Amino acid sequence: MDKKQSQLIKALTIDLKEDGWEKSRGFVMRDVPMPVLDEKRNKEDAISVILKIRYAGVCGSDRGLWYRTAFKDLVRDSLEKEGKSMRINGHEFVGEIVEMGSMVHRLYYDPDPKNKAKIEVGSLVSGDSHVTCGRCYQCRIGEEHVCMNESILGISIDGIFAEYVKIPAKNLWPVDESRLRPEIAAIYDPFGNAVHATSVVDMRGQRIAIFGCGPIGLFSVLLARNSGAAKIIAVDVSKENLKMAKELGAHETILVEKTKKKDEWESDRNVVDKIMKITYGKGVDISMEMAGPFSSVNNSIDSTRRGGHVILFGIKDGNLVIPKFSRVIVRGLTIHNIIGREIFKTWQTAQRILNDKQNDITEAIWKVILKSGKGTILNFKDFTPENFEKAMNENPKIIFKM
Ligand SMILES: [Zn+2]
Ligand SMILES: [Zn+2]
Protein backbone atom coordinates (compact mmCIF):
# COMPACT_ATOMS: atom_id res chain seq x y z
CA MET A 1 0.00 0.00 0.00
CA ASP A 2 1.40 3.42 -0.86
CA LYS A 3 1.41 6.33 1.53
CA LYS A 4 -1.65 8.08 0.12
CA GLN A 5 -3.79 4.98 0.34
CA SER A 6 -2.93 4.46 3.99
CA GLN A 7 -4.09 7.99 4.80
CA LEU A 8 -7.41 8.17 6.60
CA ILE A 9 -10.19 10.70 6.11
CA LYS A 10 -13.46 11.37 7.93
CA ALA A 11 -16.77 10.14 6.52
CA LEU A 12 -20.37 9.77 7.67
CA THR A 13 -21.50 6.20 7.36
CA ILE A 14 -23.94 3.42 8.14
CA ASP A 15 -22.37 0.03 8.87
CA LEU A 16 -25.00 -2.70 8.72
CA LYS A 17 -22.79 -5.08 10.69
CA GLU A 18 -21.76 -2.61 13.42
CA ASP A 19 -24.84 -0.38 13.59
CA GLY A 20 -27.53 -2.64 12.08
CA TRP A 21 -30.61 -1.16 10.46
CA GLU A 22 -33.70 -1.86 12.56
CA LYS A 23 -32.44 -1.00 16.01
CA SER A 24 -30.20 1.91 15.17
CA ARG A 25 -30.55 5.34 13.67
CA GLY A 26 -28.35 8.07 12.32
CA PHE A 27 -24.93 8.12 10.67
CA VAL A 28 -21.62 7.37 12.34
CA MET A 29 -18.44 9.42 11.74
CA ARG A 30 -15.73 6.92 10.83
CA ASP A 31 -12.15 6.98 9.55
CA VAL A 32 -12.08 5.60 6.01
CA PRO A 33 -9.19 5.24 3.54
CA MET A 34 -8.38 8.20 1.32
CA PRO A 35 -9.77 7.40 -2.17
CA VAL A 36 -7.08 7.07 -4.83
CA LEU A 37 -6.91 6.68 -8.60
CA ASP A 38 -5.08 3.47 -9.41
CA GLU A 39 -5.65 2.65 -13.07
CA LYS A 40 -3.51 -0.47 -12.94
CA ARG A 41 -5.83 -2.03 -10.41
CA ASN A 42 -9.08 -0.46 -11.51
CA LYS A 43 -9.58 0.53 -15.16
CA GLU A 44 -12.61 2.71 -14.32
CA ASP A 45 -10.27 5.09 -12.50
CA ALA A 46 -9.14 6.39 -15.91
CA ILE A 47 -12.57 8.06 -16.24
CA SER A 48 -12.91 9.09 -12.59
CA VAL A 49 -11.77 12.07 -10.54
CA ILE A 50 -10.90 12.73 -6.91
CA LEU A 51 -12.88 15.60 -5.43
CA LYS A 52 -12.18 17.59 -2.32
CA ILE A 53 -15.73 18.19 -1.12
CA ARG A 54 -16.43 21.80 -0.15
CA TYR A 55 -20.15 21.73 0.73
CA ALA A 56 -22.54 18.77 0.97
CA GLY A 57 -26.33 19.06 1.11
CA VAL A 58 -28.43 16.93 3.44
CA CYS A 59 -31.37 15.52 1.51
CA GLY A 60 -34.82 14.25 2.44
CA SER A 61 -33.53 10.82 1.48
CA ASP A 62 -30.71 11.22 4.04
CA ARG A 63 -33.47 11.87 6.57
CA GLY A 64 -35.08 8.60 5.38
CA LEU A 65 -31.74 6.82 5.95
CA TRP A 66 -31.15 8.54 9.29
CA TYR A 67 -34.52 7.39 10.66
CA ARG A 68 -34.39 4.07 8.72
CA THR A 69 -37.72 4.73 6.98
CA ALA A 70 -36.51 4.32 3.38
CA PHE A 71 -33.94 2.60 1.15
CA LYS A 72 -33.37 -0.42 3.42
CA ASP A 73 -33.35 -2.91 0.53
CA LEU A 74 -31.18 -0.74 -1.72
CA VAL A 75 -28.54 -0.27 0.99
CA ARG A 76 -28.50 -3.92 2.09
CA ASP A 77 -28.57 -5.50 -1.39
CA SER A 78 -25.91 -3.19 -2.82
CA LEU A 79 -23.56 -3.76 0.14
CA GLU A 80 -24.03 -7.51 -0.20
CA LYS A 81 -23.07 -7.28 -3.86
CA GLU A 82 -19.94 -5.30 -2.99
CA GLY A 83 -19.08 -7.80 -0.24
CA LYS A 84 -18.85 -5.18 2.52
CA SER A 85 -21.01 -3.79 5.30
CA MET A 86 -20.32 -0.03 5.42
CA ARG A 87 -21.87 2.62 3.23
CA ILE A 88 -20.62 6.23 3.06
CA ASN A 89 -23.76 8.38 2.83
CA GLY A 90 -24.60 11.65 1.09
CA HIS A 91 -25.13 12.65 -2.53
CA GLU A 92 -25.51 16.44 -2.90
CA PHE A 93 -22.17 18.13 -3.35
CA VAL A 94 -19.93 20.81 -4.65
CA GLY A 95 -16.22 20.21 -4.61
CA GLU A 96 -12.90 20.88 -6.21
CA ILE A 97 -11.27 18.47 -8.65
CA VAL A 98 -7.87 17.58 -7.19
CA GLU A 99 -6.93 14.69 -9.47
CA MET A 100 -8.21 13.30 -12.76
CA GLY A 101 -7.93 9.88 -14.41
CA SER A 102 -5.94 9.66 -17.63
CA MET A 103 -9.00 9.74 -19.94
CA VAL A 104 -10.96 12.53 -18.24
CA HIS A 105 -9.45 15.47 -20.12
CA ARG A 106 -9.87 13.70 -23.46
CA LEU A 107 -13.55 12.85 -22.81
CA TYR A 108 -14.91 15.71 -20.71
CA TYR A 109 -12.85 18.88 -21.17
CA ASP A 110 -14.75 21.44 -23.25
CA PRO A 111 -12.14 23.28 -25.36
CA ASP A 112 -14.52 26.21 -26.08
CA PRO A 113 -12.68 29.28 -24.67
CA LYS A 114 -16.03 31.02 -24.03
CA ASN A 115 -17.01 28.28 -21.62
CA LYS A 116 -15.50 29.26 -18.27
CA ALA A 117 -16.81 26.27 -16.30
CA LYS A 118 -14.64 23.31 -17.20
CA ILE A 119 -13.76 19.86 -16.00
CA GLU A 120 -10.08 20.25 -15.06
CA VAL A 121 -7.91 20.11 -11.96
CA GLY A 122 -8.81 23.06 -9.70
CA SER A 123 -12.36 23.42 -11.03
CA LEU A 124 -15.41 23.62 -8.85
CA VAL A 125 -18.01 20.99 -9.78
CA SER A 126 -21.36 19.69 -8.66
CA GLY A 127 -22.85 16.57 -10.21
CA ASP A 128 -25.69 14.13 -10.55
CA SER A 129 -26.13 11.57 -7.80
CA HIS A 130 -27.29 8.83 -10.15
CA VAL A 131 -24.38 6.88 -11.60
CA THR A 132 -25.69 5.35 -14.80
CA CYS A 133 -24.29 2.56 -16.98
CA GLY A 134 -24.29 4.32 -20.36
CA ARG A 135 -24.95 0.99 -22.06
CA CYS A 136 -28.57 0.01 -21.41
CA TYR A 137 -31.47 0.83 -23.74
CA GLN A 138 -32.58 3.93 -21.79
CA CYS A 139 -29.04 5.31 -21.48
CA ARG A 140 -28.54 4.87 -25.22
CA ILE A 141 -31.68 6.80 -26.11
CA GLY A 142 -30.96 9.72 -23.76
CA GLU A 143 -33.08 8.62 -20.80
CA GLU A 144 -30.25 8.05 -18.34
CA HIS A 145 -32.42 9.04 -15.38
CA VAL A 146 -34.20 5.68 -15.80
CA CYS A 147 -31.05 3.62 -16.42
CA MET A 148 -31.55 -0.10 -15.77
CA ASN A 149 -28.28 -0.44 -13.91
CA GLU A 150 -28.06 2.83 -12.01
CA SER A 151 -26.45 3.28 -8.63
CA ILE A 152 -27.22 6.18 -6.32
CA LEU A 153 -24.41 7.91 -4.45
CA GLY A 154 -24.69 7.48 -0.70
CA ILE A 155 -27.33 4.75 -1.03
CA SER A 156 -26.31 1.99 -3.42
CA ILE A 157 -22.67 3.10 -3.83
CA ASP A 158 -20.45 5.14 -1.51
CA GLY A 159 -21.42 8.79 -1.37
CA ILE A 160 -19.98 12.19 -0.63
CA PHE A 161 -20.27 12.83 3.12
CA ALA A 162 -16.48 12.60 3.22
CA GLU A 163 -13.52 14.94 2.94
CA TYR A 164 -12.43 13.37 -0.36
CA VAL A 165 -14.39 11.19 -2.79
CA LYS A 166 -13.83 9.34 -6.03
CA ILE A 167 -16.54 9.94 -8.60
CA PRO A 168 -17.07 9.17 -12.31
CA ALA A 169 -16.21 12.24 -14.39
CA LYS A 170 -19.32 11.81 -16.50
CA ASN A 171 -21.48 12.76 -13.51
CA LEU A 172 -19.85 16.14 -13.02
CA TRP A 173 -21.43 19.51 -13.70
CA PRO A 174 -18.86 22.35 -13.69
CA VAL A 175 -19.83 25.42 -11.69
CA ASP A 176 -18.84 29.00 -12.48
CA GLU A 177 -18.22 30.40 -9.02
CA SER A 178 -18.42 33.98 -10.25
CA ARG A 179 -22.08 33.34 -11.12
CA LEU A 180 -23.33 31.07 -8.33
CA ARG A 181 -22.74 30.87 -4.60
CA PRO A 182 -21.09 27.48 -3.80
CA GLU A 183 -23.59 26.71 -1.01
CA ILE A 184 -26.34 26.83 -3.63
CA ALA A 185 -24.26 24.86 -6.13
CA ALA A 186 -24.14 22.11 -3.48
CA ILE A 187 -27.91 21.68 -3.80
CA TYR A 188 -28.14 21.58 -7.59
CA ASP A 189 -29.25 17.94 -7.31
CA PRO A 190 -32.47 18.50 -5.28
CA PHE A 191 -33.16 21.78 -7.06
CA GLY A 192 -32.92 19.73 -10.27
CA ASN A 193 -35.55 17.35 -8.88
CA ALA A 194 -37.91 20.31 -8.56
CA VAL A 195 -37.01 21.59 -12.03
CA HIS A 196 -37.71 18.13 -13.43
CA ALA A 197 -40.98 17.75 -11.50
CA THR A 198 -42.31 21.19 -12.46
CA SER A 199 -41.45 20.80 -16.14
CA VAL A 200 -43.53 17.74 -17.03
CA VAL A 201 -46.74 19.79 -17.31
CA ASP A 202 -47.22 23.37 -18.51
CA MET A 203 -47.98 25.38 -15.37
CA ARG A 204 -49.04 28.66 -16.95
CA GLY A 205 -52.43 29.75 -15.61
CA GLN A 206 -52.87 26.53 -13.62
CA ARG A 207 -54.00 25.95 -10.06
CA ILE A 208 -51.41 23.80 -8.32
CA ALA A 209 -51.34 22.07 -4.95
CA ILE A 210 -47.94 21.15 -3.57
CA PHE A 211 -48.17 18.45 -0.89
CA GLY A 212 -45.04 18.58 1.25
CA CYS A 213 -42.99 21.73 1.76
CA GLY A 214 -39.59 20.29 2.46
CA PRO A 215 -36.82 21.77 0.35
CA ILE A 216 -37.93 20.22 -2.95
CA GLY A 217 -41.56 21.24 -2.32
CA LEU A 218 -40.36 24.76 -1.49
CA PHE A 219 -38.19 24.87 -4.64
CA SER A 220 -41.30 23.78 -6.56
CA VAL A 221 -43.27 26.71 -5.11
CA LEU A 222 -40.59 29.08 -6.46
CA LEU A 223 -40.52 27.37 -9.85
CA ALA A 224 -44.31 27.15 -10.21
CA ARG A 225 -44.53 30.88 -9.44
CA ASN A 226 -41.78 31.57 -11.96
CA SER A 227 -43.63 29.50 -14.60
CA GLY A 228 -46.80 31.57 -14.28
CA ALA A 229 -49.04 29.34 -12.16
CA ALA A 230 -52.31 31.13 -11.32
CA LYS A 231 -52.70 29.70 -7.84
CA ILE A 232 -50.30 27.77 -5.66
CA ILE A 233 -51.62 25.94 -2.60
CA ALA A 234 -48.93 24.70 -0.22
CA VAL A 235 -49.78 21.79 2.09
CA ASP A 236 -47.60 20.60 4.97
CA VAL A 237 -47.60 19.28 8.53
CA SER A 238 -45.28 22.09 9.69
CA LYS A 239 -46.44 25.67 10.30
CA GLU A 240 -42.84 26.84 9.85
CA ASN A 241 -42.57 25.27 6.39
CA LEU A 242 -45.92 26.75 5.37
CA LYS A 243 -44.73 30.18 6.48
CA MET A 244 -41.71 29.77 4.20
CA ALA A 245 -43.91 28.55 1.33
CA LYS A 246 -45.99 31.71 1.67
CA GLU A 247 -42.87 33.87 1.71
CA LEU A 248 -41.69 32.15 -1.47
CA GLY A 249 -44.91 32.81 -3.34
CA ALA A 250 -47.61 30.30 -2.34
CA HIS A 251 -51.04 31.97 -2.45
CA GLU A 252 -52.70 29.67 0.06
CA THR A 253 -51.43 27.32 2.74
CA ILE A 254 -53.09 24.33 4.39
CA LEU A 255 -51.82 22.73 7.59
CA VAL A 256 -52.21 18.95 7.73
CA GLU A 257 -53.36 18.15 11.25
CA LYS A 258 -52.60 14.86 12.89
CA THR A 259 -55.83 12.86 12.98
CA LYS A 260 -56.53 9.33 14.06
CA LYS A 261 -56.83 7.09 11.02
CA LYS A 262 -57.69 3.49 10.49
CA ASP A 263 -55.05 3.11 7.77
CA GLU A 264 -51.93 5.13 7.05
CA TRP A 265 -52.96 5.60 3.42
CA GLU A 266 -56.30 7.28 4.22
CA SER A 267 -56.57 10.77 2.75
CA ASP A 268 -57.15 13.80 4.99
CA ARG A 269 -60.74 14.85 4.36
CA ASN A 270 -60.06 18.22 5.90
CA VAL A 271 -57.23 19.00 3.45
CA VAL A 272 -59.13 17.80 0.39
CA ASP A 273 -62.23 19.80 1.39
CA LYS A 274 -60.17 22.96 1.79
CA ILE A 275 -58.63 22.53 -1.67
CA MET A 276 -62.08 21.93 -3.14
CA LYS A 277 -63.28 25.13 -1.53
CA ILE A 278 -60.36 27.17 -2.87
CA THR A 279 -60.91 25.75 -6.39
CA TYR A 280 -64.70 26.31 -6.40
CA GLY A 281 -65.42 22.59 -6.13
CA LYS A 282 -63.32 21.57 -9.14
CA GLY A 283 -60.02 20.45 -7.64
CA VAL A 284 -56.60 21.66 -8.73
CA ASP A 285 -55.28 21.24 -12.26
CA ILE A 286 -52.00 19.85 -10.97
CA SER A 287 -51.12 18.08 -7.71
CA MET A 288 -47.50 17.57 -6.73
CA GLU A 289 -46.77 14.94 -4.06
CA MET A 290 -43.40 15.95 -2.60
CA ALA A 291 -43.65 14.40 0.89
CA GLY A 292 -43.89 10.60 0.76
CA PRO A 293 -46.60 9.47 3.20
CA PHE A 294 -49.27 7.32 1.55
CA SER A 295 -52.04 9.58 2.87
CA SER A 296 -50.36 12.41 0.98
CA VAL A 297 -50.51 10.42 -2.27
CA ASN A 298 -54.24 9.94 -1.78
CA ASN A 299 -54.63 13.61 -0.83
CA SER A 300 -53.02 14.47 -4.17
CA ILE A 301 -55.29 12.15 -6.13
CA ASP A 302 -58.45 13.27 -4.33
CA SER A 303 -57.65 16.98 -4.74
CA THR A 304 -57.11 16.90 -8.50
CA ARG A 305 -59.83 17.88 -10.98
CA ARG A 306 -61.09 15.55 -13.67
CA GLY A 307 -58.54 15.44 -16.46
CA GLY A 308 -55.86 16.89 -14.18
CA HIS A 309 -52.29 15.83 -13.50
CA VAL A 310 -50.83 14.15 -10.41
CA ILE A 311 -47.06 14.42 -10.16
CA LEU A 312 -45.58 11.92 -7.71
CA PHE A 313 -42.10 12.45 -6.31
CA GLY A 314 -42.04 11.48 -2.59
CA ILE A 315 -40.75 8.00 -1.75
CA LYS A 316 -41.70 5.68 1.09
CA ASP A 317 -41.10 1.95 1.57
CA GLY A 318 -44.16 -0.30 1.78
CA ASN A 319 -47.49 -0.94 0.06
CA LEU A 320 -49.88 1.84 -0.83
CA VAL A 321 -53.63 1.38 -1.15
CA ILE A 322 -55.50 3.69 -3.50
CA PRO A 323 -59.14 3.21 -2.51
CA LYS A 324 -61.58 2.86 -5.40
CA PHE A 325 -58.75 2.98 -7.89
CA SER A 326 -61.16 2.97 -10.83
CA ARG A 327 -61.88 6.64 -10.00
CA VAL A 328 -58.38 7.52 -11.13
CA ILE A 329 -59.18 6.15 -14.57
CA VAL A 330 -62.80 7.27 -14.79
CA ARG A 331 -61.80 10.81 -13.84
CA GLY A 332 -59.13 10.78 -16.52
CA LEU A 333 -56.21 11.66 -14.26
CA THR A 334 -52.67 11.52 -15.59
CA ILE A 335 -50.10 10.30 -13.08
CA HIS A 336 -46.45 11.23 -13.61
CA ASN A 337 -43.62 9.67 -11.63
CA ILE A 338 -40.51 11.77 -11.27
CA ILE A 339 -37.15 10.25 -10.53
CA GLY A 340 -33.88 12.13 -10.55
CA ARG A 341 -33.04 14.68 -13.18
CA GLU A 342 -32.80 14.41 -16.95
CA ILE A 343 -29.03 14.27 -17.44
CA PHE A 344 -28.02 16.95 -18.35
CA LYS A 345 -31.06 18.69 -19.79
CA THR A 346 -32.48 19.42 -16.33
CA TRP A 347 -29.06 20.65 -15.17
CA GLN A 348 -28.84 23.11 -18.02
CA THR A 349 -32.29 24.51 -17.17
CA ALA A 350 -31.44 24.60 -13.47
CA GLN A 351 -28.20 26.47 -14.21
CA ARG A 352 -29.99 29.15 -16.18
CA ILE A 353 -32.60 29.63 -13.47
CA LEU A 354 -30.05 29.71 -10.62
CA ASN A 355 -27.57 31.99 -12.41
CA ASP A 356 -30.28 34.52 -13.37
CA LYS A 357 -30.02 37.50 -11.05
CA GLN A 358 -33.46 38.86 -12.00
CA ASN A 359 -35.78 36.00 -11.06
CA ASP A 360 -34.60 36.21 -7.42
CA ILE A 361 -34.75 32.43 -7.03
CA THR A 362 -31.18 31.95 -5.79
CA GLU A 363 -31.61 34.83 -3.35
CA ALA A 364 -34.91 33.38 -2.08
CA ILE A 365 -33.32 29.95 -1.56
CA TRP A 366 -30.41 31.51 0.32
CA LYS A 367 -32.39 33.98 2.43
CA VAL A 368 -35.58 32.04 3.14
CA ILE A 369 -34.87 28.30 2.85
CA LEU A 370 -31.24 28.47 4.03
CA LYS A 371 -31.93 31.39 6.43
CA SER A 372 -28.82 33.17 5.11
CA GLY A 373 -26.74 30.33 6.53
CA LYS A 374 -27.86 30.84 10.15
CA GLY A 375 -28.05 27.40 11.74
CA THR A 376 -28.23 25.74 8.33
CA ILE A 377 -24.52 25.43 7.52
CA LEU A 378 -22.87 22.86 9.80
CA ASN A 379 -19.17 22.22 10.18
CA PHE A 380 -18.55 18.63 9.11
CA LYS A 381 -15.73 18.26 11.63
CA ASP A 382 -18.02 19.27 14.50
CA PHE A 383 -20.62 16.60 13.66
CA THR A 384 -22.40 14.98 16.56
CA PRO A 385 -25.62 12.97 16.15
CA GLU A 386 -27.33 15.38 18.58
CA ASN A 387 -26.42 18.67 16.87
CA PHE A 388 -27.08 17.16 13.45
CA GLU A 389 -30.53 15.86 14.37
CA LYS A 390 -31.39 19.16 16.02
CA ALA A 391 -30.39 21.16 12.95
CA MET A 392 -32.23 18.72 10.67
CA ASN A 393 -35.42 19.09 12.71
CA GLU A 394 -35.23 22.86 12.94
CA ASN A 395 -34.54 23.57 9.25
CA PRO A 396 -35.94 22.26 5.99
CA LYS A 397 -32.43 22.21 4.50
CA ILE A 398 -29.00 21.94 6.05
CA ILE A 399 -25.59 21.84 4.41
CA PHE A 400 -22.23 20.56 5.64
CA LYS A 401 -19.22 22.79 5.23
CA MET A 402 -16.30 20.41 4.87
ZN1 LIG B 1 -31.24 14.23 -2.67
ZN1 LIG C 1 -28.05 2.51 -18.29
Side-chain angles (χ1 to χ4, degrees):
M1 218 193 275
D2 65 26
K3 201 168 125 248
K4 234 182 184 178
Q5 218 156 357
S6 59
Q7 244 178 52
L8 294 173
I9 58 162
K10 295 274 176 220
L12 277 180
T13 61
I14 295 176
D15 190 321
L16 290 189
K17 221 193 243 154
E18 301 266 318
D19 317 328
W21 180 269
E22 249 86 40
K23 285 188 184 123
S24 69
R25 75 169 199 234
F27 305 139
V28 177
M29 187 72 88
R30 290 187 163 92
D31 288 328
V32 301
M34 170 83 182
V36 290
L37 298 177
D38 181 354
E39 295 180 26
K40 274 197 205 101
R41 227 186 286 167
N42 184 5
K43 285 217 166 93
E44 298 267 313
D45 285 0
I47 50 172
S48 300
V49 303
I50 303 291
L51 291 184
K52 184 178 196 303
I53 299 294
R54 205 190 289 178
Y55 290 98
V58 176
C59 177
S61 61
D62 296 319
R63 201 180 286 254
L65 288 166
W66 183 274
Y67 290 109
R68 312 291 195 254
T69 55
F71 308 112
K72 178 185 172 186
D73 293 349
L74 269 180
V75 173
R76 191 196 47 207
D77 297 350
S78 61
L79 282 172
E80 240 163 57
K81 223 189 269 169
E82 288 177 65
K84 57 181 200 175
S85 64
M86 189 198 73
R87 175 68 69 232
I88 299 175
N89 304 108
H91 62 267
E92 302 172 359
F93 66 92
V94 71
E96 189 186 314
I97 302 179
V98 292
E99 199 184 343
M100 305 202 302
S102 60
M103 286 301 286
V104 173
H105 182 85
R106 158 87 174 70
L107 291 173
Y108 301 105
Y109 180 84
D110 177 3
D112 181 357
K114 292 192 289 302
N115 183 1
K116 296 275 183 287
K118 291 183 192 295
I119 292 180
E120 61 188 340
V121 170
S123 286
L124 196 67
V125 292
S126 182
D128 206 279
S129 59
H130 292 217
V131 178
T132 59
C133 76
R135 291 186 282 247
C136 73
Y137 178 76
Q138 285 83 258
C139 280
R140 296 288 287 169
I141 62 166
E143 296 180 3
E144 279 186 67
H145 61 293
V146 280
C147 168
M148 292 177 68
N149 310 306
E150 70 168 6
S151 308
I152 302 176
L153 291 175
I155 297 175
S156 51
I157 47 170
D158 281 339
I160 56 76
F161 286 159
E163 292 165 295
Y164 291 86
V165 301
K166 178 160 72 180
I167 200 166
K170 82 180 177 82
N171 278 58
L172 302 179
W173 183 258
V175 173
D176 182 348
E177 217 178 327
S178 69
R179 298 180 70 189
L180 186 63
R181 184 191 271 284
E183 295 92 328
I184 302 287
I187 55 176
Y188 245 117
D189 186 281
F191 185 73
N193 288 133
V195 170
H196 188 189
T198 51
S199 58
V200 288
V201 181
D202 187 357
M203 297 203 154
R204 282 173 300 178
Q206 303 295 289
R207 291 184 183 135
I208 298 166
I210 298 175
F211 297 86
C213 296
I216 300 176
L218 292 172
F219 298 151
S220 300
V221 170
L222 282 168
L223 291 162
R225 193 75 197 250
N226 198 47
S227 315
K231 183 155 306 245
I232 301 166
I233 307 166
V235 183
D236 200 271
V237 292
S238 145
K239 279 186 191 155
E240 281 293 303
N241 289 4
L242 289 178
K243 214 178 117 207
M244 281 188 199
K246 192 116 206 198
E247 234 176 296
L248 298 173
H251 303 89
E252 306 272 352
T253 59
I254 299 174
L255 183 70
V256 183
E257 288 177 72
K258 283 226 163 82
T259 51
K260 257 222 167 116
K261 286 181 195 161
K262 216 167 86 232
D263 297 295
E264 60 164 335
W265 41 261
E266 250 176 76
S267 62
D268 297 271
R269 224 39 259 173
N270 191 25
V271 171
V272 177
D273 287 348
K274 277 185 182 150
I275 290 177
M276 285 300 162
K277 203 166 159 217
I278 294 167
T279 57
Y280 305 95
K282 286 190 190 69
V284 289
D285 304 295
I286 303 164
S287 278
M288 304 187 74
E289 202 299 299
M290 319 294 280
F294 295 150
S295 56
S296 182
V297 175
N298 279 317
N299 285 346
S300 308
I301 290 171
D302 291 353
S303 304
T304 307
R305 71 162 171 87
R306 283 183 163 244
H309 296 263
V310 178
I311 299 169
L312 300 179
F313 175 77
I315 294 180
K316 188 176 179 296
D317 285 345
N319 302 319
L320 158 67
V321 172
I322 300 176
K324 299 189 199 135
F325 180 70
S326 61
R327 288 173 316 142
V328 174
I329 295 150
V330 173
R331 288 163 60 220
L333 300 183
T334 305
I335 297 187
H336 308 259
N337 295 294
I338 301 298
I339 180 73
R341 297 137 298 277
E342 291 187 276
I343 303 168
F344 279 102
K345 186 177 165 215
T346 304
W347 286 81
Q348 189 64 66
T349 308
Q351 173 172 291
R352 289 185 177 174
I353 294 170
L354 290 174
N355 284 0
D356 180 356
K357 300 272 180 282
Q358 262 144 29
N359 65 24
D360 251 9
I361 287 182
T362 292
E363 269 310 283
I365 294 172
W366 176 246
K367 286 204 175 120
V368 180
I369 302 176
L370 290 173
K371 304 174 181 174
S372 303
K374 280 180 207 91
T376 57
I377 311 282
L378 311 185
N379 255 325
F380 189 67
K381 289 191 182 72
D382 302 335
F383 169 89
T384 66
E386 295 75 26
N387 68 20
F388 179 80
E389 201 164 280
K390 185 164 175 278
M392 190 163 59
N393 291 333
E394 284 172 359
N395 303 287
K397 189 80 192 170
I398 53 176
I399 295 175
F400 282 121
K401 184 179 194 305
M402 308 305 276

